[in-house]
Amino acid sequence: MVPHYPTKRSALVPTLLYAQDEVGFLSDEVIAELAGRLDLTELEVRNVISYYSMLTTKPRGKFNVQVCTNISCLVRGGEEILQHCAKKLGVGHKGTTPDGLFSLEEVECIGACSWAPAAQVNYDFHENLTTEKMDKVLDECRMKA
Amino acid sequence: MASLVSHPDEVKVVTRRFGQGATNIDRYLELDGYKAVQKALGMEPDAIINEVKNSGLRGRGGAGFSTGMKWSFVPKQSAKPKYVLCNGDESEPGTCKDRLIFEHDPHAVIEGVMIAALAVGAASGYIYIRGEYRYLSVIMQKAIRDAYAKGFAGKNIFGSGRDLDIFWHGGAGAYEVGEESALMESLEGKRGIPRIRPPFPAVVGLWGGPTVINNAETLASVPHIMLGGAEWYAKIGPPKNGGTRLFCLSGNVAKPGVYELPMGYSLKKMIYEVGGGIPGGRKLKAVVPGGSSTPCLTADEIDINMDFDSVAKAGSMLGSGGVVVIDDAQCMVKFALRTMKFYQHESCGWCIPCREGTDWLKKTLMRFHAGGGVKKDIDNMQYLSENMLGRTFCPLGDAAAMPTIAFVKKFRNEFEDHLEGRPCPFEKAGAAEEMAALAH
Protein backbone atom coordinates (compact mmCIF):
# COMPACT_ATOMS: atom_id res chain seq x y z
CA MET A 1 0.00 0.00 0.00
CA VAL A 2 2.99 2.29 0.48
CA PRO A 3 2.96 3.68 -3.10
CA HIS A 4 -0.57 5.00 -2.52
CA TYR A 5 0.69 7.77 -0.29
CA PRO A 6 3.16 10.64 -0.34
CA THR A 7 4.62 9.42 2.98
CA LYS A 8 5.50 5.83 3.89
CA ARG A 9 4.03 6.17 7.36
CA SER A 10 0.52 6.64 5.95
CA ALA A 11 0.23 2.93 5.24
CA LEU A 12 0.71 2.13 8.94
CA VAL A 13 -2.85 1.73 10.28
CA PRO A 14 -4.28 -0.63 7.63
CA THR A 15 -0.98 -2.52 7.46
CA LEU A 16 -1.05 -3.14 11.21
CA LEU A 17 -4.53 -4.59 10.93
CA TYR A 18 -3.56 -6.89 8.06
CA ALA A 19 -0.46 -8.03 9.93
CA GLN A 20 -2.56 -8.73 13.01
CA ASP A 21 -5.02 -10.79 10.95
CA GLU A 22 -2.12 -12.83 9.66
CA VAL A 23 -0.26 -13.42 12.94
CA GLY A 24 -3.15 -13.22 15.41
CA PHE A 25 -1.75 -10.28 17.36
CA LEU A 26 0.90 -7.61 17.02
CA SER A 27 3.95 -9.38 18.36
CA ASP A 28 7.29 -7.72 19.07
CA GLU A 29 8.61 -9.21 15.83
CA VAL A 30 5.74 -7.79 13.76
CA ILE A 31 6.20 -4.36 15.34
CA ALA A 32 9.95 -4.39 14.66
CA GLU A 33 9.40 -5.55 11.08
CA LEU A 34 6.79 -2.87 10.29
CA ALA A 35 8.79 -0.14 11.99
CA GLY A 36 11.77 -1.09 9.81
CA ARG A 37 9.74 -1.15 6.60
CA LEU A 38 8.04 2.19 7.24
CA ASP A 39 11.12 4.01 8.61
CA LEU A 40 9.57 4.46 12.05
CA THR A 41 10.82 3.69 15.54
CA GLU A 42 9.14 0.82 17.39
CA LEU A 43 7.88 3.36 19.89
CA GLU A 44 6.10 5.30 17.14
CA VAL A 45 4.40 2.10 16.01
CA ARG A 46 3.38 1.15 19.55
CA ASN A 47 2.08 4.65 20.10
CA VAL A 48 -0.31 4.16 17.18
CA ILE A 49 -1.29 0.61 18.20
CA SER A 50 -2.40 1.74 21.67
CA TYR A 51 -4.82 4.23 20.13
CA TYR A 52 -6.91 1.90 17.95
CA SER A 53 -9.36 -0.44 19.66
CA MET A 54 -9.06 -3.24 17.10
CA LEU A 55 -5.29 -3.53 17.45
CA THR A 56 -3.84 -5.74 20.17
CA THR A 57 -0.37 -6.75 21.32
CA LYS A 58 -1.75 -9.75 23.22
CA PRO A 59 -2.84 -13.04 21.66
CA ARG A 60 -6.60 -13.49 21.30
CA GLY A 61 -8.82 -16.48 20.68
CA LYS A 62 -9.20 -17.84 17.19
CA PHE A 63 -12.72 -16.42 17.17
CA ASN A 64 -13.03 -12.95 18.63
CA VAL A 65 -16.66 -12.53 19.67
CA GLN A 66 -17.46 -8.82 19.75
CA VAL A 67 -20.88 -8.03 21.16
CA CYS A 68 -22.25 -4.52 20.72
CA THR A 69 -24.16 -3.07 23.67
CA ASN A 70 -24.34 0.51 22.45
CA ILE A 71 -27.67 2.33 22.46
CA SER A 72 -29.52 0.68 19.56
CA CYS A 73 -28.38 -2.76 20.72
CA LEU A 74 -28.95 -1.89 24.39
CA VAL A 75 -32.68 -1.29 23.93
CA ARG A 76 -33.02 -4.55 21.98
CA GLY A 77 -31.23 -6.85 24.38
CA GLY A 78 -27.53 -6.46 23.56
CA GLU A 79 -26.55 -6.87 27.20
CA GLU A 80 -28.40 -10.18 27.42
CA ILE A 81 -26.42 -11.41 24.43
CA LEU A 82 -23.17 -10.33 26.08
CA GLN A 83 -24.10 -11.99 29.39
CA HIS A 84 -25.14 -15.12 27.57
CA CYS A 85 -21.78 -15.31 25.78
CA ALA A 86 -19.92 -14.65 29.04
CA LYS A 87 -21.74 -17.53 30.74
CA LYS A 88 -21.44 -19.86 27.82
CA LEU A 89 -17.74 -19.19 27.25
CA GLY A 90 -16.87 -18.73 30.92
CA VAL A 91 -14.90 -15.56 30.26
CA GLY A 92 -15.51 -11.85 30.78
CA HIS A 93 -14.73 -8.75 28.72
CA LYS A 94 -11.44 -9.22 26.85
CA GLY A 95 -11.12 -12.73 28.25
CA THR A 96 -9.93 -15.75 26.25
CA THR A 97 -11.04 -19.34 26.78
CA PRO A 98 -8.26 -21.70 28.03
CA ASP A 99 -8.36 -23.66 24.75
CA GLY A 100 -7.57 -20.44 22.87
CA LEU A 101 -10.68 -20.82 20.74
CA PHE A 102 -12.75 -17.83 21.81
CA SER A 103 -12.22 -14.31 23.05
CA LEU A 104 -15.07 -12.14 24.23
CA GLU A 105 -15.28 -8.39 23.94
CA GLU A 106 -17.96 -5.82 24.64
CA VAL A 107 -17.59 -3.39 21.74
CA GLU A 108 -18.87 0.02 20.76
CA CYS A 109 -21.24 0.59 17.83
CA ILE A 110 -20.36 -1.65 14.88
CA GLY A 111 -22.82 -0.07 12.44
CA ALA A 112 -25.55 -2.68 12.66
CA CYS A 113 -28.06 -0.46 14.51
CA SER A 114 -31.07 -1.23 12.32
CA TRP A 115 -30.41 -4.95 12.72
CA ALA A 116 -29.80 -4.92 16.48
CA PRO A 117 -28.78 -6.64 18.63
CA ALA A 118 -25.64 -7.49 16.73
CA ALA A 119 -22.20 -8.96 17.15
CA GLN A 120 -19.13 -9.54 15.03
CA VAL A 121 -17.12 -12.72 15.15
CA ASN A 122 -13.79 -11.64 13.72
CA TYR A 123 -15.06 -9.67 10.69
CA ASP A 124 -18.38 -11.47 10.19
CA PHE A 125 -21.56 -9.68 11.18
CA HIS A 126 -24.33 -11.55 13.02
CA GLU A 127 -27.51 -9.55 13.33
CA ASN A 128 -31.03 -9.62 14.80
CA LEU A 129 -29.56 -11.88 17.46
CA THR A 130 -31.34 -13.93 20.07
CA THR A 131 -29.57 -16.12 22.62
CA GLU A 132 -30.50 -19.16 20.52
CA LYS A 133 -29.06 -17.58 17.38
CA MET A 134 -25.90 -16.66 19.28
CA ASP A 135 -25.55 -20.28 20.44
CA LYS A 136 -25.71 -21.39 16.83
CA VAL A 137 -23.04 -18.89 15.85
CA LEU A 138 -20.73 -20.16 18.61
CA ASP A 139 -21.43 -23.79 17.74
CA GLU A 140 -20.59 -23.13 14.10
CA CYS A 141 -17.28 -21.60 15.18
CA ARG A 142 -16.51 -24.75 17.19
CA MET A 143 -17.26 -26.90 14.16
CA LYS A 144 -14.91 -24.82 12.00
CA ALA A 145 -12.10 -25.05 14.58
CA MET B 1 -25.43 -8.70 3.80
CA ALA B 2 -27.49 -6.28 5.83
CA SER B 3 -31.13 -6.65 4.83
CA LEU B 4 -32.98 -3.96 2.91
CA VAL B 5 -36.41 -2.53 3.65
CA SER B 6 -38.75 -0.32 1.71
CA HIS B 7 -41.73 1.94 2.25
CA PRO B 8 -43.98 3.73 -0.30
CA ASP B 9 -42.99 7.17 1.08
CA GLU B 10 -39.38 6.60 0.20
CA VAL B 11 -37.74 8.68 -2.52
CA LYS B 12 -34.96 6.56 -3.90
CA VAL B 13 -32.01 8.66 -4.97
CA VAL B 14 -28.91 7.36 -3.20
CA THR B 15 -30.55 3.96 -2.68
CA ARG B 16 -31.76 3.79 -6.30
CA ARG B 17 -29.29 1.04 -7.24
CA PHE B 18 -29.47 -0.91 -3.97
CA GLY B 19 -30.13 -4.60 -4.44
CA GLN B 20 -29.52 -4.37 -8.21
CA GLY B 21 -26.04 -5.77 -8.43
CA ALA B 22 -24.41 -2.36 -8.96
CA THR B 23 -21.17 -3.51 -7.32
CA ASN B 24 -20.53 -5.01 -10.76
CA ILE B 25 -19.14 -2.17 -12.88
CA ASP B 26 -20.97 -3.25 -16.05
CA ARG B 27 -24.27 -3.34 -14.22
CA TYR B 28 -23.43 0.04 -12.71
CA LEU B 29 -22.87 1.40 -16.21
CA GLU B 30 -26.28 0.09 -17.29
CA LEU B 31 -27.79 2.00 -14.38
CA ASP B 32 -26.43 5.37 -15.61
CA GLY B 33 -23.13 4.83 -13.85
CA TYR B 34 -20.13 7.06 -14.59
CA LYS B 35 -22.30 9.38 -16.71
CA ALA B 36 -22.23 12.09 -14.06
CA VAL B 37 -18.44 12.26 -13.89
CA GLN B 38 -18.25 12.45 -17.69
CA LYS B 39 -20.68 15.34 -17.60
CA ALA B 40 -18.55 17.00 -14.91
CA LEU B 41 -15.46 16.57 -17.09
CA GLY B 42 -17.09 18.86 -19.64
CA MET B 43 -17.87 21.54 -17.06
CA GLU B 44 -15.84 24.36 -15.53
CA PRO B 45 -14.94 23.66 -11.87
CA ASP B 46 -16.95 26.66 -10.72
CA ALA B 47 -20.00 25.38 -12.58
CA ILE B 48 -19.77 22.05 -10.75
CA ILE B 49 -19.46 23.83 -7.40
CA ASN B 50 -22.42 26.07 -8.22
CA GLU B 51 -24.55 23.10 -9.20
CA VAL B 52 -23.83 21.42 -5.86
CA LYS B 53 -24.36 24.70 -3.98
CA ASN B 54 -27.72 25.26 -5.67
CA SER B 55 -28.84 21.72 -4.92
CA GLY B 56 -28.95 22.54 -1.20
CA LEU B 57 -26.88 19.45 -0.42
CA ARG B 58 -25.62 19.62 3.16
CA GLY B 59 -23.07 17.38 4.88
CA ARG B 60 -24.59 14.02 5.79
CA GLY B 61 -21.95 13.25 8.42
CA GLY B 62 -23.71 15.34 11.01
CA ALA B 63 -22.73 18.99 10.84
CA GLY B 64 -24.98 19.78 7.88
CA PHE B 65 -22.64 22.31 6.28
CA SER B 66 -23.29 23.25 2.63
CA THR B 67 -21.23 20.89 0.49
CA GLY B 68 -20.83 23.31 -2.41
CA MET B 69 -19.71 26.01 0.00
CA LYS B 70 -17.14 23.66 1.52
CA TRP B 71 -15.73 22.93 -1.91
CA SER B 72 -15.54 26.63 -2.74
CA PHE B 73 -13.16 27.22 0.20
CA VAL B 74 -10.40 25.24 -1.51
CA PRO B 75 -7.94 27.70 -3.05
CA LYS B 76 -7.72 27.61 -6.84
CA GLN B 77 -3.93 27.79 -6.85
CA SER B 78 -1.91 25.65 -4.52
CA ALA B 79 1.79 24.81 -4.38
CA LYS B 80 0.95 21.53 -2.66
CA PRO B 81 -1.25 18.80 -4.15
CA LYS B 82 -4.95 18.95 -3.31
CA TYR B 83 -6.92 15.96 -2.07
CA VAL B 84 -10.45 14.67 -1.70
CA LEU B 85 -11.11 12.49 1.32
CA CYS B 86 -14.27 10.44 1.67
CA ASN B 87 -15.18 9.87 5.30
CA GLY B 88 -16.47 6.32 5.59
CA ASP B 89 -15.45 5.90 9.20
CA GLU B 90 -19.13 5.62 10.10
CA SER B 91 -19.23 5.04 13.86
CA GLU B 92 -21.79 7.35 15.44
CA PRO B 93 -24.00 5.03 17.50
CA GLY B 94 -27.34 4.65 15.74
CA THR B 95 -25.86 5.09 12.26
CA CYS B 96 -25.54 2.30 9.70
CA LYS B 97 -26.23 3.95 6.34
CA ASP B 98 -22.77 4.32 4.79
CA ARG B 99 -22.40 0.59 5.27
CA LEU B 100 -25.28 0.00 2.86
CA ILE B 101 -23.92 2.52 0.35
CA PHE B 102 -20.52 0.79 0.27
CA GLU B 103 -22.17 -2.61 0.10
CA HIS B 104 -24.62 -1.85 -2.70
CA ASP B 105 -23.27 1.09 -4.66
CA PRO B 106 -19.51 1.52 -4.16
CA HIS B 107 -19.03 3.06 -7.62
CA ALA B 108 -21.37 5.93 -6.69
CA VAL B 109 -18.92 6.84 -3.92
CA ILE B 110 -15.99 6.65 -6.33
CA GLU B 111 -17.89 8.81 -8.81
CA GLY B 112 -18.71 11.33 -6.09
CA VAL B 113 -15.06 11.52 -5.07
CA MET B 114 -14.08 12.03 -8.72
CA ILE B 115 -16.58 14.84 -9.25
CA ALA B 116 -15.41 16.54 -6.04
CA ALA B 117 -11.82 16.20 -7.26
CA LEU B 118 -12.70 17.79 -10.61
CA ALA B 119 -14.49 20.63 -8.80
CA VAL B 120 -11.57 21.53 -6.56
CA GLY B 121 -8.71 20.57 -8.87
CA ALA B 122 -7.44 17.55 -6.95
CA ALA B 123 -5.57 14.71 -8.61
CA SER B 124 -6.13 12.10 -5.89
CA GLY B 125 -9.00 10.93 -3.76
CA TYR B 126 -8.96 8.66 -0.71
CA ILE B 127 -11.88 6.60 0.51
CA TYR B 128 -11.48 5.86 4.23
CA ILE B 129 -13.50 2.88 5.49
CA ARG B 130 -13.64 1.91 9.16
CA GLY B 131 -11.67 -1.20 10.11
CA GLU B 132 -14.70 -3.16 11.30
CA TYR B 133 -16.17 -2.94 7.78
CA ARG B 134 -13.59 -5.31 6.32
CA TYR B 135 -16.01 -6.87 3.82
CA LEU B 136 -16.76 -3.39 2.50
CA SER B 137 -13.07 -2.64 2.04
CA VAL B 138 -12.93 -5.75 -0.12
CA ILE B 139 -15.91 -4.55 -2.18
CA MET B 140 -14.39 -1.08 -2.51
CA GLN B 141 -10.96 -2.39 -3.52
CA LYS B 142 -12.53 -4.39 -6.32
CA ALA B 143 -14.64 -1.43 -7.45
CA ILE B 144 -11.53 0.75 -7.63
CA ARG B 145 -9.61 -1.90 -9.56
CA ASP B 146 -12.51 -2.23 -12.02
CA ALA B 147 -12.66 1.55 -12.49
CA TYR B 148 -8.92 1.59 -13.27
CA ALA B 149 -9.29 -1.33 -15.68
CA LYS B 150 -11.92 0.57 -17.67
CA GLY B 151 -9.77 3.70 -17.80
CA PHE B 152 -12.18 5.67 -15.61
CA ALA B 153 -9.53 6.26 -12.96
CA GLY B 154 -5.78 6.70 -13.14
CA LYS B 155 -4.06 8.33 -16.12
CA ASN B 156 -6.03 10.15 -18.78
CA ILE B 157 -9.48 9.36 -17.37
CA PHE B 158 -12.16 8.83 -20.04
CA GLY B 159 -9.55 9.96 -22.54
CA SER B 160 -9.83 13.51 -21.20
CA GLY B 161 -6.13 14.04 -20.67
CA ARG B 162 -6.69 14.41 -16.93
CA ASP B 163 -5.16 12.13 -14.30
CA LEU B 164 -7.16 11.19 -11.24
CA ASP B 165 -6.14 8.52 -8.75
CA ILE B 166 -8.54 6.86 -6.33
CA PHE B 167 -7.29 4.93 -3.30
CA TRP B 168 -8.97 3.18 -0.40
CA HIS B 169 -7.77 3.33 3.18
CA GLY B 170 -8.80 1.40 6.27
CA GLY B 171 -9.11 2.31 9.94
CA ALA B 172 -8.62 0.08 12.96
CA GLY B 173 -11.34 1.02 15.40
CA ALA B 174 -11.74 4.59 16.65
CA TYR B 175 -14.87 6.77 16.75
CA GLU B 176 -12.77 9.91 17.09
CA VAL B 177 -11.30 9.32 13.65
CA GLY B 178 -14.70 10.22 12.15
CA GLU B 179 -13.89 13.83 13.07
CA GLU B 180 -12.34 15.36 9.96
CA SER B 181 -8.99 16.50 11.33
CA ALA B 182 -8.49 13.28 13.31
CA LEU B 183 -9.39 11.40 10.11
CA MET B 184 -6.47 13.07 8.34
CA GLU B 185 -4.11 12.22 11.21
CA SER B 186 -5.23 8.60 10.98
CA LEU B 187 -4.71 8.52 7.23
CA GLU B 188 -1.22 9.89 7.80
CA GLY B 189 -0.51 6.89 10.01
CA LYS B 190 -0.82 8.56 13.40
CA ARG B 191 -3.05 8.46 16.46
CA GLY B 192 -6.39 10.03 15.57
CA ILE B 193 -6.04 13.23 17.54
CA PRO B 194 -7.77 16.36 16.23
CA ARG B 195 -5.85 19.27 14.79
CA ILE B 196 -6.21 22.84 15.91
CA ARG B 197 -8.20 24.95 13.45
CA PRO B 198 -7.62 27.32 11.74
CA PRO B 199 -6.09 26.48 9.36
CA PHE B 200 -9.06 24.51 8.08
CA PRO B 201 -8.55 21.37 5.96
CA ALA B 202 -9.67 23.22 2.84
CA VAL B 203 -6.45 25.24 3.14
CA VAL B 204 -4.06 22.93 5.04
CA GLY B 205 -5.24 19.34 5.10
CA LEU B 206 -3.76 15.96 4.20
CA TRP B 207 0.05 16.11 4.04
CA GLY B 208 -0.31 19.89 4.21
CA GLY B 209 -2.30 20.16 0.99
CA PRO B 210 -5.80 21.67 0.60
CA THR B 211 -8.33 18.91 1.29
CA VAL B 212 -12.04 18.45 0.87
CA ILE B 213 -13.53 15.98 3.37
CA ASN B 214 -17.07 14.73 2.85
CA ASN B 215 -19.18 11.95 4.27
CA ALA B 216 -19.78 8.89 2.07
CA GLU B 217 -23.53 9.61 1.75
CA THR B 218 -22.80 13.21 0.75
CA LEU B 219 -20.43 12.09 -2.01
CA ALA B 220 -22.77 9.31 -3.16
CA SER B 221 -25.48 11.97 -3.62
CA VAL B 222 -23.32 14.13 -5.88
CA PRO B 223 -23.54 12.02 -9.10
CA HIS B 224 -27.35 12.08 -8.84
CA ILE B 225 -27.29 15.86 -8.53
CA MET B 226 -25.06 16.16 -11.59
CA LEU B 227 -27.47 14.05 -13.66
CA GLY B 228 -30.82 15.16 -12.24
CA GLY B 229 -29.89 18.82 -11.83
CA ALA B 230 -29.66 21.05 -8.79
CA GLU B 231 -33.23 22.25 -9.11
CA TRP B 232 -34.71 18.74 -9.09
CA TYR B 233 -32.61 17.72 -6.08
CA ALA B 234 -33.29 20.88 -4.09
CA LYS B 235 -37.06 20.47 -4.59
CA ILE B 236 -37.12 17.03 -2.96
CA GLY B 237 -36.62 18.69 0.42
CA PRO B 238 -37.67 21.97 2.04
CA PRO B 239 -35.73 25.20 1.28
CA LYS B 240 -32.00 25.03 2.14
CA ASN B 241 -32.31 21.31 2.93
CA GLY B 242 -32.04 19.71 -0.46
CA GLY B 243 -32.59 16.09 -1.33
CA THR B 244 -33.16 12.97 0.64
CA ARG B 245 -31.68 11.47 3.75
CA LEU B 246 -30.88 7.90 4.66
CA PHE B 247 -32.58 7.55 8.02
CA CYS B 248 -31.35 4.61 10.09
CA LEU B 249 -34.39 3.66 12.11
CA SER B 250 -33.40 1.53 15.09
CA GLY B 251 -34.39 0.66 18.63
CA ASN B 252 -37.90 -0.12 19.78
CA VAL B 253 -39.76 0.07 16.46
CA ALA B 254 -41.61 -2.71 14.67
CA LYS B 255 -39.79 -2.28 11.34
CA PRO B 256 -36.28 -0.98 11.88
CA GLY B 257 -34.19 -0.38 8.79
CA VAL B 258 -32.50 2.22 6.62
CA TYR B 259 -35.13 4.27 4.78
CA GLU B 260 -34.42 6.97 2.23
CA LEU B 261 -36.96 9.70 2.87
CA PRO B 262 -37.22 13.25 1.64
CA MET B 263 -35.56 15.81 3.85
CA GLY B 264 -38.19 17.33 6.14
CA TYR B 265 -40.18 14.11 6.55
CA SER B 266 -42.29 14.03 9.72
CA LEU B 267 -40.57 12.27 12.62
CA LYS B 268 -43.92 11.12 13.95
CA LYS B 269 -44.79 9.48 10.63
CA MET B 270 -41.33 7.98 10.46
CA ILE B 271 -41.81 6.22 13.77
CA TYR B 272 -45.47 5.23 13.49
CA GLU B 273 -45.99 4.67 9.76
CA VAL B 274 -42.62 3.89 8.21
CA GLY B 275 -41.30 2.13 11.30
CA GLY B 276 -44.64 0.53 12.14
CA GLY B 277 -44.85 2.02 15.63
CA ILE B 278 -43.72 0.67 18.98
CA PRO B 279 -44.07 -3.10 19.30
CA GLY B 280 -45.28 -5.15 22.25
CA GLY B 281 -48.02 -2.73 23.30
CA ARG B 282 -45.36 -0.37 24.65
CA LYS B 283 -45.44 3.41 24.51
CA LEU B 284 -42.87 5.79 23.09
CA LYS B 285 -40.68 7.41 25.73
CA ALA B 286 -37.98 9.23 23.78
CA VAL B 287 -36.20 9.46 20.42
CA VAL B 288 -32.57 10.18 19.71
CA PRO B 289 -33.03 11.91 16.34
CA GLY B 290 -29.58 11.93 14.75
CA GLY B 291 -27.10 9.59 16.38
CA SER B 292 -26.02 9.31 20.01
CA SER B 293 -24.55 12.80 20.20
CA THR B 294 -27.85 14.56 19.50
CA PRO B 295 -30.10 15.62 22.41
CA CYS B 296 -33.08 13.29 22.81
CA LEU B 297 -36.65 14.35 22.17
CA THR B 298 -39.49 13.28 24.42
CA ALA B 299 -42.68 11.62 23.13
CA ASP B 300 -44.34 15.06 23.17
CA GLU B 301 -41.65 16.59 20.98
CA ILE B 302 -41.82 14.36 17.92
CA ASP B 303 -44.21 16.43 15.87
CA ILE B 304 -41.33 17.89 13.86
CA ASN B 305 -39.94 17.73 10.35
CA MET B 306 -36.65 15.94 9.91
CA ASP B 307 -34.50 18.52 8.20
CA PHE B 308 -31.44 20.29 9.60
CA ASP B 309 -33.20 23.55 10.44
CA SER B 310 -36.43 22.15 11.91
CA VAL B 311 -34.62 19.72 14.22
CA ALA B 312 -32.26 22.52 15.32
CA LYS B 313 -35.30 24.65 16.11
CA ALA B 314 -36.59 21.83 18.32
CA GLY B 315 -33.35 22.01 20.31
CA SER B 316 -31.61 19.00 18.83
CA MET B 317 -29.73 18.08 15.65
CA LEU B 318 -30.44 16.06 12.53
CA GLY B 319 -26.92 14.71 12.92
CA SER B 320 -25.96 11.57 11.06
CA GLY B 321 -29.49 10.27 10.45
CA GLY B 322 -29.48 7.67 13.23
CA VAL B 323 -33.00 7.67 14.68
CA VAL B 324 -33.04 5.60 17.88
CA VAL B 325 -36.51 4.94 19.25
CA ILE B 326 -36.81 4.29 22.99
CA ASP B 327 -39.92 2.73 24.57
CA ASP B 328 -41.24 3.05 28.11
CA ALA B 329 -39.57 -0.16 29.30
CA GLN B 330 -36.15 1.50 29.04
CA CYS B 331 -34.37 3.27 31.86
CA MET B 332 -33.13 6.69 30.76
CA VAL B 333 -30.43 6.73 33.46
CA LYS B 334 -29.06 3.53 32.03
CA PHE B 335 -29.38 4.91 28.51
CA ALA B 336 -27.46 8.02 29.60
CA LEU B 337 -24.84 5.81 31.23
CA ARG B 338 -24.37 3.67 28.12
CA THR B 339 -24.06 6.80 26.00
CA MET B 340 -21.43 8.24 28.34
CA LYS B 341 -19.55 4.97 28.62
CA PHE B 342 -19.14 5.20 24.86
CA TYR B 343 -17.80 8.75 24.86
CA GLN B 344 -15.47 8.01 27.76
CA HIS B 345 -14.09 5.04 25.82
CA GLU B 346 -13.70 7.03 22.61
CA SER B 347 -12.30 10.30 23.99
CA CYS B 348 -8.79 10.57 22.59
CA GLY B 349 -7.61 12.25 25.80
CA TRP B 350 -6.17 15.31 24.12
CA CYS B 351 -8.43 17.94 25.73
CA ILE B 352 -8.87 17.84 29.49
CA PRO B 353 -12.56 18.88 29.63
CA CYS B 354 -13.44 15.92 27.39
CA ARG B 355 -11.05 13.36 28.86
CA GLU B 356 -11.88 14.16 32.50
CA GLY B 357 -15.47 15.22 31.92
CA THR B 358 -16.53 12.01 30.20
CA ASP B 359 -14.76 9.94 32.88
CA TRP B 360 -16.40 11.80 35.76
CA LEU B 361 -19.79 11.61 34.12
CA LYS B 362 -19.44 7.89 33.42
CA LYS B 363 -18.40 7.20 37.02
CA THR B 364 -21.19 9.34 38.42
CA LEU B 365 -23.78 7.68 36.19
CA MET B 366 -22.51 4.20 37.08
CA ARG B 367 -22.73 4.95 40.79
CA PHE B 368 -26.07 6.63 40.28
CA HIS B 369 -27.61 3.77 38.33
CA ALA B 370 -26.33 1.30 40.92
CA GLY B 371 -28.31 3.15 43.59
CA GLY B 372 -25.43 5.12 45.10
CA GLY B 373 -26.54 8.51 43.83
CA VAL B 374 -27.12 11.60 45.91
CA LYS B 375 -29.39 14.47 44.95
CA LYS B 376 -26.64 16.96 44.15
CA ASP B 377 -25.23 14.52 41.55
CA ILE B 378 -28.10 15.41 39.26
CA ASP B 379 -27.20 19.10 39.13
CA ASN B 380 -23.51 18.25 39.10
CA MET B 381 -23.92 16.15 35.97
CA GLN B 382 -25.63 19.01 34.23
CA TYR B 383 -23.05 21.54 35.47
CA LEU B 384 -20.17 19.34 34.38
CA SER B 385 -21.69 18.78 30.94
CA GLU B 386 -22.37 22.46 30.43
CA ASN B 387 -18.76 23.22 31.23
CA MET B 388 -17.52 20.79 28.61
CA LEU B 389 -19.47 22.52 25.85
CA GLY B 390 -17.28 24.46 23.43
CA ARG B 391 -14.11 23.84 25.44
CA THR B 392 -12.50 21.14 23.32
CA PHE B 393 -10.59 21.15 20.02
CA CYS B 394 -13.06 18.81 18.34
CA PRO B 395 -16.80 18.25 18.79
CA LEU B 396 -16.44 15.00 20.80
CA GLY B 397 -16.70 16.94 24.07
CA ASP B 398 -19.91 18.57 22.86
CA ALA B 399 -21.15 15.23 21.55
CA ALA B 400 -20.86 13.79 25.05
CA ALA B 401 -22.23 16.83 26.85
CA MET B 402 -25.27 17.68 24.71
CA PRO B 403 -27.20 14.42 25.09
CA THR B 404 -26.38 14.28 28.82
CA ILE B 405 -27.83 17.74 29.42
CA ALA B 406 -31.01 16.66 27.63
CA PHE B 407 -31.30 13.37 29.56
CA VAL B 408 -30.95 15.16 32.91
CA LYS B 409 -33.30 18.02 31.98
CA LYS B 410 -36.01 15.96 30.32
CA PHE B 411 -35.94 12.87 32.54
CA ARG B 412 -35.03 14.35 35.91
CA ASN B 413 -37.85 12.34 37.48
CA GLU B 414 -36.17 9.10 36.43
CA PHE B 415 -32.90 10.24 37.94
CA GLU B 416 -34.75 11.06 41.19
CA ASP B 417 -36.34 7.59 41.15
CA HIS B 418 -32.86 6.11 41.53
CA LEU B 419 -32.04 8.10 44.67
CA GLU B 420 -31.60 6.85 48.24
CA GLY B 421 -30.37 3.43 47.29
CA ARG B 422 -33.51 2.47 45.39
CA PRO B 423 -32.92 -0.20 42.79
CA CYS B 424 -33.46 0.76 39.17
CA PRO B 425 -37.22 0.53 38.59
CA PHE B 426 -36.68 -0.81 35.06
CA GLU B 427 -34.13 -3.49 35.78
CA LYS B 428 -34.96 -7.18 35.97
CA ALA B 429 -33.90 -8.69 39.32
CA GLY B 430 -30.28 -9.79 39.23
CA ALA B 431 -29.52 -8.13 35.89
CA ALA B 432 -27.41 -5.38 37.46
CA GLU B 433 -25.18 -7.88 39.28
CA GLU B 434 -24.63 -9.85 36.10
CA MET B 435 -23.60 -6.75 34.20
CA ALA B 436 -21.42 -5.59 37.10
CA ALA B 437 -19.44 -8.79 36.71
CA LEU B 438 -18.66 -7.69 33.14
CA ALA B 439 -17.96 -4.05 33.99
CA HIS B 440 -14.76 -2.50 32.74
Side-chain angles (χ1 to χ4, degrees), chain B residues 289-301:
Chain B
S292 65
S293 61
T294 60
C296 70
L297 301 167
T298 64
D300 302 329
E301 294 171 322

Side-chain angles (χ1 to χ4, degrees), chain B residues 218-295:
Chain B
T218 311
L219 288 166
S221 305
V222 168
H224 299 289
I225 294 168
M226 297 310 293
L227 288 183
E231 202 185 336
W232 157 79
Y233 189 80
K235 273 194 183 147
I236 298 173
K240 293 183 187 154
N241 288 271
T244 59
R245 191 81 214 251
L246 267 65
F247 289 103
C248 321
L249 206 49
S250 74
N252 305 121
V253 278
K255 289 184 267 180
V258 178
Y259 297 93
E260 183 169 20
L261 294 161
M263 210 49 121
Y265 195 81
S266 152
L267 177 58
K268 201 174 193 171
K269 268 175 87 177
M270 198 187 298
I271 296 169
Y272 288 101
E273 290 178 29
V274 179
I278 321 293
R282 289 281 174 185
K283 280 202 191 99
L284 178 71
K285 184 189 274 185
V287 189
V288 176
S292 65
S293 61
T294 60

Side-chain angles (χ1 to χ4, degrees), chain A residues 37-98:
Chain A
R37 282 201 207 179
L38 299 176
D39 296 339
L40 296 168
T41 64
E42 287 183 33
L43 184 65
E44 282 171 315
V45 176
R46 286 181 192 276
N47 189 27
V48 168
I49 293 171
S50 67
Y51 176 84
Y52 294 91
S53 65
M54 291 173 76
L55 302 177
T56 177
T57 51
K58 293 192 186 83
R60 276 200 291 233
K62 189 170 179 207
F63 299 100
N64 188 28
V65 182
Q66 305 148 79
V67 183
C68 175
T69 58
N70 212 311
I71 52 173
S72 299
C73 287
L74 175 77
V75 302
R76 292 182 79 97
E79 288 194 340
E80 284 79 6
I81 302 291
L82 176 68
Q83 285 161 16
H84 183 75
C85 291
K87 260 191 212 157
K88 187 118 185 177
L89 301 173
V91 293
H93 172 66
K94 292 208 171 168
T96 302
T97 55

Side-chain angles (χ1 to χ4, degrees), chain A residues 4-5 47 51 76 79 106, chain B residues 126 169 191-192 251 334 440:
Chain A
H4 294 183
Y5 312 96
N47 189 27
Y51 176 84
R76 292 182 79 97
E79 288 194 340
E106 178 183 17
Chain B
Y126 289 87
H169 188 88
R191 293 169 75 90
K334 180 149 192 188
H440 51 91

